[in-house]
Amino acid sequence: EVAENGLKAVEAFTLSTQGYFDAILMDIRMPIMDGLTAARAIWKLKKKSAQSIPIIAMSANAFDEDIEKSKAGMNAHLAKPIEPELLYATLEEYLNW
């Protein structure tokens, strides 16, 4: 699933059936609602999986400050361009594959 902004991401997760999403890859900078705000909104939902779904930040900003900022609202941070091996390792860490 692809959402063009943070608000659409929150809506997609909210309307999905329980267990539909295993994880969320969230861009930090998006129009309408940024990724950090969207992640916090998802985690506040009353949906059973909302508090446990891993949300992984993706950002072109790879400075330590940006990484710490994203981790304050998400589980992990991946710098763009995304390295597939690191993406898979991060997903394994949070999904117990």
Side-chain angles (χ1 to χ4, degrees):
E1 301 288 331
V2 176
E4 66 249 23
N5 62 59
L7 183 58
K8 294 280 188 186
V10 174
E11 290 172 355
F13 182 79
T14 301
L15 297 173
S16 67
T17 58
Q18 187 66 30
Y20 181 78
F21 292 104
D22 292 320
I24 298 172
L25 302 176
M26 184 82 73
D27 198 335
I28 299 294
R29 295 183 184 218
M30 292 188 288
I32 301 178
M33 180 186 287
D34 66 75
L36 290 170
T37 304
R40 290 183 189 117
I42 288 170
W43 280 342
K44 289 180 182 177
L45 293 172
K46 300 211 183 292
K47 192 173 193 171
K48 184 180 177 184
S49 61
Q51 289 77 41
S52 61
I53 188 146
I55 302 178
I56 300 164
M58 299 188 318
S59 175
N61 298 336
F63 297 110
D64 289 341
E65 179 181 315
D66 297 315
I67 293 168
E68 289 307 311
K69 188 179 186 182
S70 68
K71 284 185 179 179
M74 302 190 196
N75 297 93
H77 179 278
L78 297 175
K80 293 180 183 178
I82 303 297
E83 296 178 33
E85 298 80 21
L86 186 55
L87 171 61
Y88 300 143
T90 303
L91 288 172
E92 278 188 42
E93 178 181 347
Y94 288 98
L95 298 178
N96 299 318
W97 285 348

